Amino acid sequence: MTRRHDVKHYPGLGPLVALFFVYLYAPLAIVVIYSFNANRIVGVWTGFSLEWYASALNNRALMNALKTSLTVAGVATVVATTIALLAALAIIRGRNVRFRKLSETVVNLPLLLPEIVLAVASLIFFSLIGLQNGMMKLIIAHSAFCTPFAFLPIRARLQGMSLDFEEASADLYASRWTTFRRVTLPLIFPGVFSGAMLAFLISMDDFITSNLLSTGGTTTLPVYIFSLIRSGTSPELNAIGTLLIVASLILATVALAVAARGARNND
Amino acid sequence: MNEAKAVEVRSVSKSFGTYQALRSVSFDIGANEFFTMLGPSGCGKTTLLRMLAGFETPDSGSIRLHGREVLDLPPHRRRVNTVFQNYALFPHMTLEQNVAFGLENLGWDRARIRARVGEMLERVHMETMARRRPGQLSGGQRQRVALARALAPDPEVLLLDEPLSALDLKLRQAMRDELRKLQRDSGITFVFVTHDQEEALDMSDRIAVLGAGEVQQIGSPTEIYEEPANRFVADFVGETNFFDVEVLETVAGQATVRTPFGLVITAPETGVAGRRRATLSVRPEKVNLGDQAQGVTMQGQVVNKNYMGGYTHYTLDIGGIELRASRRNASREGDAIAAGETVNVGFAPLSARVLAS
Ligand SMILES: Nc1ncnc2c1ncn2[C@@H]1O[C@H](COP(=O)(O)OP(=O)(O)O)[C@@H](O)[C@H]1O
Ligand SMILES: [Mg+2]
């Protein structure tokens, strides 16, 4: 009976799924394939070449943009994850938290607002306080909008973790700090890691805020790529795209491995 | 030594919202005692235990451990360890690390910790698995490790919250003996919580029966079973027959009552003085049948018979009133009374109790 209602037995499901995956991955496949094309024109295959990779890796402006992005994302990840972790601990584990629901909403609010609003608000805020340093502006803005992304998995993990372990720890003479360091943090680590990963990806991926805040010396990777497109597509873009896809896959694999290890440890 | 009080609970009350979980609970626990809190689920046993450990605070009243007021001490400053109902072993640590955890927090040096961890794991027969993690253990094994972890720091009081309820029957019986032995060997005060009366009777030096957030009776297992203080205790601990009776006279702890069978008997009473109605409690195994019927004797018809192997339970009809009796099958003939037969039924008045209704 459950068999008949199983979605796997609906007619036409197979072809539909296939179509969906083609729709999803065909553009990516094209980018990857043509990044190895010797010809400058996308769509005309003339032979295999690594030329565009060489030119991408030798592009000083590109490498600078990458460096800016990595720096901003790295610092923003650390800041956002720390804030998110503290917020989650206070909201989920704190005693007598009066505005638990409200506090959570405040932390998550940036998820609900259109990013352009936040970006403009940041811009106005920075000019009001007279902050000039482009890198600082990017880091502060990114830390802010990455925090809710880091918060969600940490909160989920903490909520799913039974209080018993922390009580057992206190029962065994551990101070609150020792309990956090030796019991809570190791047990919610997969959540913290996912949160950090999400924050990092969101920061790396950000265009709207970075574009609004970027100045001469502080162009992030997405902003730079966008500027390349404006001056016409080039196979170098395909190479950059492919490299980004590979980097993302590596990150995702590591994230999955960590999550799997966490699940094994906690059974 | 026996004079020393390990735990003193004084007039402790606790409400959760509008629900009053504990009403002015008081009791003392002596040093080296195996003390059991027995009561139905929801009567506040866990709440009391958590107050001793420091995870809950009473609304009023006081708690002393070895003479010292502890209400302002956080859990990690109380020399008390807990064996949690679900064990709460740290899943990310090996068994060794679990047992060492408390000792590290107490600042023991490494060599001493290593020796103690080895000794404790050996004592619970888990030394060969020291490097495993809790996830790889069976329920019984987790239980042993939880015990080793809680006993390792040599606490003043060990709290155990229904530690046997997650185990299967055979293992439970074996663990009872082992727990009792651990308590005797270590000389640590055990505060054991259970809803299983058999467990309580078997293991405890003294039992506190809790019901409806109040202490119903405190006493040795024999006192609790043979001299229940009220109807709740008689009902919760063991099987019994209850009869509404009319009180004719109470003198020196004995009540003379008119039973519904029409007989007038005199039996030990608790809290009946000055009342007109009371409850007579007669345990099934105190009721004798056939040739063995002595004391108060009547005629009854066997309406139902349940053969249990070692025992046979009979339900008798005595002039329209139901009475349950149980008989040990000491020989094959022990089970000879058949359903439908009319037999002599009797019990010694001294083994019955008259209780406030
Ligand atoms: N933190 C709490 N919040 C609300 N009610 C609680 C809480 N802890 C216990 N209770 C209630 O108090 C009563 C006693 O609980 P507990 O001490 O766990 O009983 P027991 O261990 O005897 O089964 C129960 O009715 C339970 O629902
Ligand atoms: Mg309980």
Side-chain angles (χ1 to χ4, degrees), chain B residues 19-199:
Chain B
Y19 180 80
Q20 189 157 21
L22 296 173
R23 295 161 208 266
S24 192
V25 169
S26 299
F27 55 81
D28 291 343
I29 303 175
N32 309 345
E33 203 174 13
F34 195 120
F35 186 86
T36 297
M37 296 198 272
L38 171 67
S41 164
C43 72
K45 306 181 297 289
T46 298
T47 306
L48 259 172
L49 213 58
R50 289 172 58 79
M51 283 177 180
L52 297 183
F55 300 123
E56 298 276 5
T57 329
D59 297 337
S60 60
S62 77
I63 295 176
R64 289 162 172 269
L65 297 175
H66 283 271
R68 183 169 173 213
E69 180 65 56
V70 291
L71 285 186
D72 48 354
L73 288 185
H76 70 275
R77 294 199 191 281
R78 299 189 186 189
R79 296 275 347 208
V80 165
N81 285 144
T82 308
V83 176
F84 291 86
Q85 190 162 3
N86 53 6
Y87 315 136
L89 295 173
F90 303 126
H92 58 298
M93 297 184 194
T94 62
L95 304 192
E96 234 169 15
Q97 290 167 335
N98 264 282
V99 178
F101 189 82
L103 309 178
E104 287 162 4
N105 291 323
L106 286 175
W108 288 26
D109 64 59
R110 274 165 181 252
R112 201 164 150 229
I113 290 178
R114 182 151 349 129
R116 180 70 171 167
V117 168
E119 179 198 333
M120 291 315 298
L121 285 176
E122 216 164 288
R123 212 193 274 185
V124 297
H125 318 296
M126 291 295 294
E127 66 275 16
T128 55
M129 305 202 183
R131 296 279 157 81
R132 301 229 190 146
R133 290 186 186 221
Q136 300 162 291
L137 304 185
S138 70
Q141 291 170 329
R142 283 180 208 207
Q143 151 97 84
R144 287 161 195 281
V145 178
L147 262 169
R149 183 177 74 171
L151 282 171
D154 202 20
E156 287 172 354
V157 179
L158 186 75
L159 309 175
L160 304 103
D161 193 356
E162 311 217 11
L164 305 182
S165 62
L167 305 181
D168 54 56
L169 201 65
K170 267 256 158 58
L171 201 53
R172 221 182 291 171
Q173 184 59 53
M175 276 313 288
R176 276 192 208 167
D177 297 339
E178 208 160 316
L179 268 179
R180 194 66 240 241
K181 187 171 173 320
L182 271 176
Q183 195 266 332
R184 291 224 180 89
D185 293 350
S186 63
I188 292 173
T189 311
F190 275 35
V191 183
F192 184 89
V193 157
T194 183
H195 65 265
D196 182 334
Q197 36 121 355
E198 224 178 76
E199 244 169 57

Side-chain angles (χ1 to χ4, degrees), chain A residues 86-105:
Chain A
L86 295 177
L89 283 172
I91 293 171
I92 307 297
R93 283 296 193 257
R95 281 168 182 234
N96 313 322
V97 180
R98 272 210 280 159
F99 303 107
R100 214 179 283 269
K101 197 74 216 160
L102 184 69
S103 316
E104 242 176 81
T105 311

Side-chain angles (χ1 to χ4, degrees), chain A residues 28 30 32 36 80 90 92 95 108 111 113 125 138 155 159 164 180 185 194 201 210 241 243 247 252-253:
Chain A
L28 291 179
I30 287 168
V32 174
F36 297 107
I92 307 297
R95 281 168 182 234
N108 284 330
L111 289 178
L113 296 175
F125 174 70
L138 280 176
R155 183 198 58 178
Q159 259 172 347
D164 296 352
F180 173 72
L185 192 57
S194 309
L201 290 177
S210 304
L243 289 174
T253 310

Side-chain angles (χ1 to χ4, degrees), chain A residues 13-255:
Chain A
L13 182 76
L16 208 64
V17 169
L19 196 68
F20 170 72
F21 279 113
V22 168
Y23 170 73
L24 204 61
Y25 287 110
L28 291 179
I30 287 168
V31 165
V32 174
I33 291 166
Y34 281 101
S35 71
F36 297 107
N37 188 3
N39 198 314
R40 179 160 254 297
I41 299 154
V42 175
V44 184
W45 181 267
T46 47
F48 180 84
S49 156
L50 290 175
E51 178 192 344
W52 306 115
Y53 285 90
S55 104
L57 294 175
N58 283 323
N59 182 339
R60 284 285 292 279
L62 176 69
M63 286 301 129
N64 277 336
L66 178 64
K67 221 173 88 191
T68 306
S69 268
L70 286 176
T71 311
V72 171
V75 178
T77 298
V78 172
V79 174
T81 309
T82 307
I83 294 174
L85 179 59
L86 295 177
L89 283 172
I91 293 171
I92 307 297
R93 283 296 193 257
R95 281 168 182 234
N96 313 322
V97 180
R98 272 210 280 159
F99 303 107
R100 214 179 283 269
K101 197 74 216 160
L102 184 69
S103 316
E104 242 176 81
T105 311
V106 169
V107 175
N108 284 330
L109 201 58
L111 289 178
L112 307 174
L113 296 175
E115 194 189 336
I116 186 72
V117 174
L118 284 177
V120 171
S122 312
L123 194 65
I124 296 170
F125 174 70
F126 290 141
S127 81
L128 261 180
I129 64 168
L131 184 66
Q132 298 292 332
N133 186 321
M135 193 63 123
M136 274 312 279
K137 286 196 236 176
L138 280 176
I139 287 173
I140 294 173
H142 278 226
S143 300
F145 69 69
C146 286
T147 300
F149 289 96
F151 178 74
L152 289 176
I154 297 176
R155 183 198 58 178
R157 187 84 194 180
L158 202 56
Q159 259 172 347
M161 176 185 163
S162 147
L163 265 175
D164 296 352
F165 298 122
E166 282 144 306
E167 288 188 347
S169 171
D171 192 64
L172 292 161
Y173 314 107
S175 64
R176 293 182 70 167
W177 168 242
T178 307
T179 297
F180 173 72
R181 196 171 48 85
R182 295 201 55 195
V183 176
T184 316
L185 192 57
L187 288 178
I188 62 168
F189 183 74
V192 176
F193 185 82
S194 309
M197 217 61 164
L198 258 178
F200 185 79
L201 290 177
I202 295 291
S203 168
M204 284 298 285
D205 193 42
D206 177 71
F207 176 75
I208 298 179
T209 308
S210 304
N211 191 41
L212 225 60
L213 295 178
S214 85
T215 52
T218 54
T219 305
T220 64
L221 195 57
V223 175
Y224 176 73
I225 292 174
F226 183 69
S227 73
L228 278 188
I229 292 173
R230 266 195 309 199
S231 56
T233 58
S234 97
E236 196 183 316
L237 261 175
N238 290 336
I240 297 170
T242 305
L243 289 174
L244 284 175
I245 290 171
V246 171
S248 309
L249 284 180
I250 292 174
L251 261 164
T253 310
V254 172

